[in-house]
Amino acid sequence: MRKTINIGERIIGDNQETFVTFEAGPTHNGFKSALELVNWAAKSSADAIKFQILDPERLVQDKKQIFSYSILKEGSNESLEKKSEPLFDILKRRTLKKEEWVEIKKYADKKNILFFATAAFFDEIDFLCELGCHSIKIASADLNHYPLLEYAAKTGLTIQIDTGMSTIGEIENAIKIINKFKNDKIIIHHCPSGYPARLESIDLNMITTLRNLFKYPIAFSDHSPGLSMDIAAIALGANLIEKTITEDRYYKSVEHIFSLEISETNYFVKRVKEMQTALGKTNRILSKDELNKRKSIRRSIFMKKGSKKGNKISNCKVEFRRPGYGMGPENYDKIKDFFLNKDFDEDKILDWKDIDFK
């Protein structure tokens, strides 16, 4: 039995609406920018906005470690150029003060959109709890950070785990760590690596694998441009979609290149919701309207030529014609050895009441 998981009042799992999270952690450009991204996420009717509570001073030992990524050339949607800079500098741009995070969380509450974040240290988890977050995200790089997983599990909050570049065994171990502390509220993210991810590395079929192996809701953290991969992920059973948003796709920093611009967020959510609706039910239950509508295109048994009362039906000239308001052709073998209980003119429809079953 597959589990459903709550984040706030929203339920994530099979037979639920796809949960849409907009990721703004790597793409905000400061406090005002973060507020603007919250505003646009809420306007688009997304379910949540996500950030990253990171302290690069503690997280990165080698301040000169170089990180390379692609950016869009100005004025082009396809031409790329490589950019390299210290990872420390990239993470430093994402750093906000505690009081600014407090205000961002308050603003998200005011806008009626859920707020959660990735945490990398124990005190950051404590801070998210103080803020009243309903979920904590653990980065794929920390999937083997068992002390951090244990600390997060003890909060009792829903734990979302990224699994990019992790083995199935490592995912299993991480889940065991969380379960050990009586926390069964887990969402597993399939998160392809790359900025942006290469098509051959997206591996959408992993969503099916994760669904088959684990009972928890499966999410897709998208690192590709547009929405085609997200639609495909939903079709494969993803319960949550995480998509990065930006004020400007041409901003010269990591992850902007494949992000949605804020003007595209509303369209994205609408298409995701449409896909969810189109997937429909997993079993075929026809409505009264559908049952009535199909009669107009199905067939009934008609008398091709007139026939007398007492004639055996197999001796009558019949034809199968639309509409299907009478006896369907699937019943012909059941009635062919019985007899008419009244005279029939040609082109008249045959019904059960017209047959002598004695």
Side-chain angles (χ1 to χ4, degrees):
M1 183 73 177
R2 298 194 62 78
K3 286 184 67 65
T4 55
I5 303 295
N6 281 71
I7 298 182
E9 295 180 357
R10 281 285 280 108
I11 302 172
I12 296 105
D14 289 356
N15 302 314
Q16 304 293 326
E17 276 195 6
T18 305
F19 190 98
V20 177
T21 298
F22 281 142
E23 164 72 283
T27 51
H28 72 81
N29 299 313
F31 176 64
K32 289 184 178 179
S33 172
L35 291 177
E36 184 67 6
L37 291 174
V38 171
N39 181 47
W40 277 93
K43 276 184 177 181
S44 69
S45 300
D47 297 288
I49 184 82
K50 177 190 165 294
F51 289 94
Q52 300 170 358
I53 310 292
L54 300 174
D55 182 353
E57 296 287 351
R58 287 190 291 167
L59 186 62
V60 180
Q61 178 63 34
D62 181 1
K63 304 296 192 290
K64 296 181 180 180
Q65 178 188 348
I66 296 297
F67 186 85
S68 298
Y69 55 91
S70 296
I71 59 174
L72 279 171
K73 288 185 178 179
E74 197 67 40
S76 171
N77 287 324
E78 295 182 358
S79 296
L80 309 180
E81 60 182 81
K82 286 289 184 181
K83 184 174 173 63
S84 297
E85 62 178 319
L87 177 62
F88 176 82
D89 293 349
I90 294 171
L91 298 181
K92 192 70 176 175
R93 290 198 292 269
R94 305 176 186 180
T95 305
L96 295 176
K97 299 174 183 176
K98 274 193 172 183
E99 53 267 31
E100 290 175 321
W101 287 124
V102 170
E103 290 305 311
I104 292 168
K105 173 61 165 63
K106 286 181 181 177
Y107 188 66
D109 291 343
K110 179 182 175 182
K111 291 293 181 177
N112 198 31
I113 187 169
L114 292 168
F115 171 103
F116 53 82
T118 298
F121 291 97
F122 294 173
D123 59 316
E124 292 171 356
I125 291 174
D126 292 336
F127 180 55
L128 291 176
C129 290
E130 290 169 16
L131 286 177
C133 293
H134 298 284
S135 180
I136 295 169
K137 185 92 179 282
I138 302 296
S140 56
D142 288 329
L143 199 67
N144 65 338
H145 190 339
Y146 293 170
L148 187 70
L149 288 172
E150 291 175 1
Y151 201 84
K154 289 176 185 177
T155 66
L157 299 179
T158 295
I159 309 300
Q160 300 185 52
I161 54 173
D162 263 336
T163 63
M165 294 189 291
S166 301
T167 67
I168 295 297
E170 288 171 330
I171 299 170
E172 289 174 332
N173 289 338
I175 290 171
K176 286 176 184 176
I177 293 291
I178 298 169
N179 289 162
K180 186 171 73 172
F181 294 92
K182 310 299 182 188
N183 191 329
D184 204 31
K185 297 185 288 186
I186 300 169
I187 298 172
I188 303 169
H189 283 248
H190 172 51
C191 182
S193 60
Y195 300 96
R198 294 173 294 111
L199 280 175
E200 57 268 28
S201 70
I202 293 175
D203 293 332
L204 286 172
N205 283 326
M206 272 301 298
I207 293 170
T208 304
T209 299
L210 293 172
R211 284 180 58 86
N212 289 336
L213 289 174
F214 304 105
K215 63 184 177 180
Y216 301 103
I218 304 302
F220 177 55
S221 295
D222 191 14
H223 281 186
S224 66
L227 58 78
S228 57
M229 297 301 114
D230 303 281
I231 296 299
I234 295 168
L236 288 168
N239 308 115
L240 182 153
I241 296 294
E242 183 179 298
K243 188 77 172 179
T244 311
I245 59 173
T246 180
E247 293 174 280
D248 183 2
R249 194 178 292 122
Y250 292 94
Y251 191 81
K252 298 185 185 306
S253 188
V254 66
E255 298 202 36
H256 292 269
I257 185 175
F258 56 78
S259 299
L260 295 174
E261 291 192 331
I262 51 180
S263 60
E264 300 170 316
T265 54
N266 191 54
Y267 178 85
F268 180 87
V269 174
K270 282 184 177 179
R271 298 295 83 80
V272 165
K273 301 298 183 184
E274 285 176 356
M275 180 62 185
Q276 181 72 41
T277 301
L279 283 173
K281 302 176 285 289
T282 55
N283 58 338
R284 182 63 63 86
I285 300 174
L286 299 178
S287 66
K288 286 184 179 180
D289 183 58
E290 287 173 319
L291 289 170
N292 287 328
K293 190 174 181 180
R294 74 176 186 175
K295 288 179 180 178
S296 65
I297 60 170
R298 291 206 167 181
R299 303 194 196 197
S300 299
I301 303 172
F302 281 81
M303 285 294 177
K304 186 177 181 181
K305 291 188 176 180
S307 193
K308 296 293 184 181
K309 177 180 178 179
N311 281 350
K312 194 174 183 180
I313 292 171
S314 60
N315 294 328
C316 299
K317 296 290 186 181
V318 301
E319 222 168 41
F320 305 106
R321 305 172 181 168
R322 295 179 181 180
Y325 297 122
M327 186 182 300
E330 74 275 14
N331 296 303
Y332 182 75
D333 282 347
K334 301 174 188 175
I335 64 166
K336 66 182 181 180
D337 293 326
F338 293 98
F339 304 90
L340 298 175
N341 62 18
K342 68 176 188 181
D343 292 343
F344 261 86
D345 293 331
E346 67 177 85
D347 298 329
K348 293 296 182 182
I349 197 169
L350 185 65
D351 208 339
W352 292 99
K353 66 180 185 302
D354 304 322
I355 300 169
D356 185 353
F357 290 102
K358 296 177 183 177

